[in-house]
Every structure is written in structure tokens, then in C-alpha cells.
Amino acid sequence: MATPMSASTFVSVLKREGVKVSERYSGWRTHNRNHKGAWGGVNGVLIHHTAGRDSRSLCYNGRSDLPGPLCHTHLAKNGTATMMSAGRANHAGPVARNAHDAVVAERSTHPRPSAASGTVDGNAHYYGIEIENLGTGKDPYPAAQYDTAVRWAAAICRHHGWGADSVVGHKETSVEGKPDPSFDMNRFRRDVAARLRGPASGGGSVPDSIEKELAAMDKKTAYHTFWTGDYAPAPKTSSTIEDNPTWMPISVLVGNYEQTSRARDDIQAIAEQLSALSKSVAALSAQVAELAQQTQ
């Protein structure tokens, strides 16, 4: 059991691990549910998916029946980690005692959560991240998003001296039948363990599991995953960046082609004008030369 990180420490360890941190909500450092129960000691990291789109404000403000914050960090498709809280958050709910004990002991096997084993207050003992995803199994986790989730979990584990078996999915702890996250937690823990074997850094490659997943894709799926994913950040000079902050790579490629084609046509037209002008200048020079001879 460990003492929870302060807000400043939280941000520091995430950035050291290469996480792109956003402090969009100025009050996040004191935004918590500490008045409703304990926060700490902490024992582990809990992974969720949002089961919706554009869930960032919901994660911060909560719902009428469940006040925010609903996690400690919200993770967008483009890999931006927005801080929600540095204290108690409404995300874990009751955690099965047998699942909790496995986390505390850092067992490599995580049992199916059993209500019969009793429950503990998960909101007191777990850091939580909400990853933007529908959770349907068809909504992809872009490499930037998945890699950041791995870094986020690894950063917390590294700070507290925990191993990857301190990381669990909500589906592995919930006595209420929660299904999140929709990806394989054993694979996720392997990727966290791989990151923990090296030093904290902003560099690093895509996890092996993602590389294998991409390699296994058929061409059509790979095409749609990469080219039609609306995740690429818009250029800072874009006039529409406020209401259109992310672009599809295919739109950038087509736009570049169209601009290049227009530029090529413009250059050709200018070249033809210059050629005509050059001929006119040559003709005028010949006339001047002839006139000069006549006046001698």
C-alpha cells in the first residue's frame, strides 16, 4: 500500500514516461471526492474504456447520478492524456476482495472477480484512466492512444515500485459485471512490463503486440485503420483548427495532391507567359537593332 502522488508529482512522472499531458481543466488538482471517503493508500492501476464518444467533459463533470471526476486521466484517440483529478474519483466502485488481493500480492494470475469473497472500496485504492473507445470490439485503439495508455500505467507503477501485475482492467475487478476495457489485459500487462524493463523516456517504439496486430491486418482493414482514422492533429496554422482539430490522413493526401496539381498548372501557365514575353522582347530587340542601323 502506497501514499498517493501529489498532483505535481503525478504530472511529472507521466511526462517523464513520455505521456503528452493536458491540464485543460485548471481546477483538476483539487477536483476530487475526498469528502466522500478515503483516498489511499493506493494499491494499483485500473483501466477503463469510456463506452462513448467525446467523453472528456463527462469524465470531468460526471452525471447527475454519479458526480465527477470519473477517473484520474482521460485518454483521447490522439494520445492526449487530460488530467481529471489527483484524489479520490468515482471510477472503480466496489472491487472484489479476491481480485484486490491478487493485485496487492502482484500475482501473475488474476482471478475472476467474486462477490462472495467480499468487496473493498476501489475508489480509495486505485488510480483510474478512461480510454476514449466505444468498447464494441470494432472501434480501434490507435497506436498513439494504446501506447500512451501503456506509458500512463507504467509511469505510475514505476513511481510506486510496482510491477505490471498491479495493473488490472475494470472487468477483472468489478462485481457488477463491467466489461471494460475491450482489449486483452494480459497483453496490456505484457506491454507495461516491457516498458518497465527499460528506463522512463519519451522515446520508444510501438509495443510488440500492436506491431503484430498491424502485421496481421488484411490490406483493406489496414488501409481504413490508417488512412480514414480522424486522429492526425491539424496544422497549427489551419484556419479551422478550433472546430476541426484532427484530420484524416487521406484528406491531407488528397488535399496535397490537389494543391500540387493546381500549382503545377499555375507554373505551366507562368512558363508559357514568360516564353511569350521572351519572344516579344527578342522581337523588340531586333527592331531596335534594325532601327539603329538605319540611323547610322
Side-chain angles (χ1 to χ4, degrees):
M1 189 174 292
T3 302
M5 292 181 284
S6 67
S8 295
T9 299
F10 203 166
V11 170
S12 178
V13 300
L14 291 180
K15 288 184 175 180
R16 191 158 55 243
E17 200 71 39
V19 174
K20 180 183 176 182
V21 176
S22 168
E23 296 186 71
R24 175 188 180 91
Y25 298 102
S26 60
W28 78 269
R29 292 169 180 258
T30 56
H31 185 48
N32 56 59
R33 303 294 294 168
N34 291 6
H35 60 291
K36 288 294 185 179
W39 169 230
V42 286
N43 297 103
V45 175
L46 199 57
I47 309 299
H48 307 264
H49 66 233
T50 62
R53 298 188 190 278
D54 301 322
S55 306
R56 183 176 56 196
S57 61
L58 173 65
C59 287
Y60 190 80
N61 296 311
R63 311 187 302 259
S64 59
D65 61 327
L66 189 67
L70 303 185
C71 58
H72 294 94
T73 306
H74 169 271
L75 182 56
K77 289 283 192 181
N78 65 5
T80 299
T82 302
M83 303 307 294
M84 302 276 128
S85 179
R88 181 183 175 93
N90 279 333
H91 71 102
V95 168
R97 169 64 69 176
N98 68 324
H100 178 70
D101 289 345
V103 172
V104 172
E106 291 195 300
R107 296 180 191 137
S108 58
T109 300
H110 293 269
R112 182 184 297 275
S114 169
S117 69
T119 60
V120 298
D121 179 6
N123 293 336
H125 299 291
Y126 289 86
Y127 295 98
I129 188 171
E130 285 282 358
I131 304 173
E132 190 75 29
N133 192 276
L134 294 176
T136 59
K138 296 180 180 180
D139 187 15
Y141 293 88
Q145 184 185 41
Y146 182 87
D147 180 55
T148 300
V150 170
R151 290 172 185 268
W152 184 89
I156 296 172
C157 289
R158 195 187 301 277
H159 173 78
H160 287 301
W162 299 335
D165 285 313
S166 290
V167 181
V168 283
H170 200 192
K171 61 188 175 186
E172 297 178 302
T173 65
S174 173
V175 296
E176 303 167 306
K178 299 295 185 180
D180 53 321
S182 56
F183 53 70
D184 183 348
M185 280 305 302
N186 288 322
R187 183 192 76 180
F188 187 78
R189 279 187 285 270
R190 288 195 297 270
D191 291 333
V192 172
R195 171 150 285 279
L196 288 173
R197 285 195 290 271
S201 70
S205 59
V206 175
D208 290 344
S209 60
I210 292 296
E211 291 284 10
K212 292 177 181 177
E213 186 176 315
L214 291 173
M217 284 183 179
D218 61 82
K219 291 182 179 180
K220 186 175 181 180
T221 301
Y223 169 86
H224 283 289
T225 299
F226 178 80
W227 288 107
T228 65
D230 187 16
Y231 315 127
K236 293 181 180 179
T237 54
S238 169
S239 62
T240 62
I241 193 169
E242 290 297 326
D243 56 0
N244 187 27
T246 56
W247 293 0
M248 292 189 296
I250 189 65
S251 66
V252 177
L253 182 65
V254 171
N256 285 344
Y257 175 81
E258 291 175 344
Q259 290 179 357
T260 301
S261 295
R262 286 195 294 269
R264 184 172 59 245
D265 292 343
D266 290 344
I267 291 172
Q268 179 63 32
I270 292 173
E272 291 174 356
Q273 292 173 2
L274 287 174
S275 178
L277 180 61
S278 177
K279 291 178 181 178
S280 297
V281 170
L284 181 60
S285 296
Q287 292 175 3
V288 170
E290 183 179 351
L291 182 62
Q293 289 179 350
Q294 292 176 355
T295 57
Q296 286 181 353

